[in-house]
Amino acid sequence: GQQVMQIPQYQHVQEGEDFTTYCNSSTTLSNIQWYKQRPGGHPVFLIQLVKSGEVKKQKRLTFQFGEAKKNSSLHITATQTTDVGTYFCAGPDYGGATNKLIFGTGTLLAVQP
Amino acid sequence: NAGVTQTPKFRILKIGQSMTLQCAQDMNHNYMYWYRQDPGMGLKLIYYSVGAGITDKGEVPNGYNVSRSTTEDFPLRLELAAPSQTSVYFCATVSYGTEAFFGQGTRLTVV
């Protein structure tokens, strides 16, 4: 079945440093979504990428979708303490063979003030 | 609009007991999903449904059952609870092709 891996599992940065998490799927994705989960909270949707090679920005966050639509990345510029949490990518298969929504393994970001 | 409502928020079960985790949505979404999240880990898909009367297994269905008699409700049943089922359970809903909306989660401890 579909597997979605993320690296690193955990990253600790000083406030102001940059952060990147990478997402790799075992299968080609029709689109990819990113979610953020604050400690003790539930996942909250950040963005969806659909096109091969697509790049989207949300303030300090930059999201990329690979050309082959099997990988993606999330880059945060100049991290802040409010960025703390776990970042998940997800590969929806709506209308596809399974209709599943499989999440990546997640990257936990810790930001030291 | 309440969105996605999960009850209860917390529960302690004894080994061998059974319980039903409730998930209700008022967004008229067809797709609904149940996940479990073990401490420090990712989200594992337990069961999902693409509409009333249709359910299917996810990655970790053993020990659980679901039903979907209405669009709004998607209860998750635990039979014969085991310590390995200690986890946080999230319900999520999706309108086709868009983002997933999650409930607040149910924190379950089996002792």
Side-chain angles (χ1 to χ4, degrees), chain A residues 19-83:
Chain A
F19 160 77
T20 304
T21 174
Y22 300 91
C23 173
N24 291 285
S25 171
S26 59
T27 58
T28 302
L29 301 169
S30 58
N31 62 87
I32 195 158
Q33 298 177 345
W34 284 91
Y35 294 78
K36 176 183 178 181
Q37 183 180 27
R38 295 183 185 274
H42 61 279
V44 175
F45 175 80
L46 293 176
I47 206 162
Q48 177 169 282
L49 304 171
V50 179
K51 299 177 183 176
S52 170
E54 187 171 13
V55 178
K56 285 189 176 180
K57 293 189 176 183
Q58 287 180 348
K59 298 183 180 178
R60 296 178 294 103
L61 278 61
T62 302
F63 303 85
Q64 288 190 304
F65 199 10
E67 294 290 342
K69 302 185 79 173
K70 294 184 74 173
N71 56 70
S72 181
S73 65
L74 158 59
H75 179 81
I76 301 178
T77 303
T79 53
Q80 300 175 357
T81 54
T82 54
D83 296 324

Side-chain angles (χ1 to χ4, degrees), chain A residues 93-95 97-102, chain B residues 23 25 28-35 45-59 61 65-76 90-97 100-101:
Chain A
D93 190 33
Y94 312 134
T98 68
N99 289 303
K100 291 180 180 177
L101 175 59
I102 300 296
Chain B
C23 177
Q25 55 115 346
N28 202 33
H29 289 171
N30 284 331
Y31 291 67
M32 295 188 75
Y33 299 86
W34 273 107
Y35 296 90
L45 181 62
I46 306 172
Y47 269 96
Y48 65 104
S49 169
V50 300
I54 306 170
T55 62
D56 210 343
K57 296 178 180 179
E59 303 167 283
N65 274 300
V66 293
S67 60
R68 183 98 181 269
S69 56
T70 66
T71 298
E72 293 77 19
D73 299 297
F74 190 39
L76 177 70
F90 289 105
C91 176
T93 74
V94 175
S95 179
Y96 180 86
F101 293 86

Side-chain angles (χ1 to χ4, degrees), chain B:
Chain B
N1 265 357
V4 183
T5 303
Q6 288 185 240
T7 55
K9 288 186 171 52
F10 303 92
R11 183 72 185 267
I12 298 175
L13 274 183
K14 293 185 178 179
I15 294 172
Q17 287 185 322
S18 300
M19 75 165 293
T20 299
L21 282 66
Q22 302 291 346
C23 177
Q25 55 115 346
D26 61 2
M27 295 183 287
N28 202 33
H29 289 171
N30 284 331
Y31 291 67
M32 295 188 75
Y33 299 86
W34 273 107
Y35 296 90
R36 61 175 286 173
Q37 185 175 34
D38 298 336
M41 304 296 284
L43 298 158
K44 291 293 186 183
L45 181 62
I46 306 172
Y47 269 96
Y48 65 104
S49 169
V50 300
I54 306 170
T55 62
D56 210 343
K57 296 178 180 179
E59 303 167 283
V60 289
N62 291 345
Y64 307 94
N65 274 300
V66 293
S67 60
R68 183 98 181 269
S69 56
T70 66
T71 298
E72 293 77 19
D73 299 297
F74 190 39
L76 177 70
R77 178 80 177 163
L78 277 72
E79 304 282 0
L80 298 175
S84 60
Q85 293 178 304
T86 293
S87 191
V88 179
Y89 292 84
F90 289 105
C91 176
T93 74
V94 175
S95 179
Y96 180 86
T98 64
E99 67 199 86
F101 293 86
F102 282 81
Q104 299 294 315
T106 295
R107 282 155 179 79
L108 174 67
T109 302
V110 181
V111 297

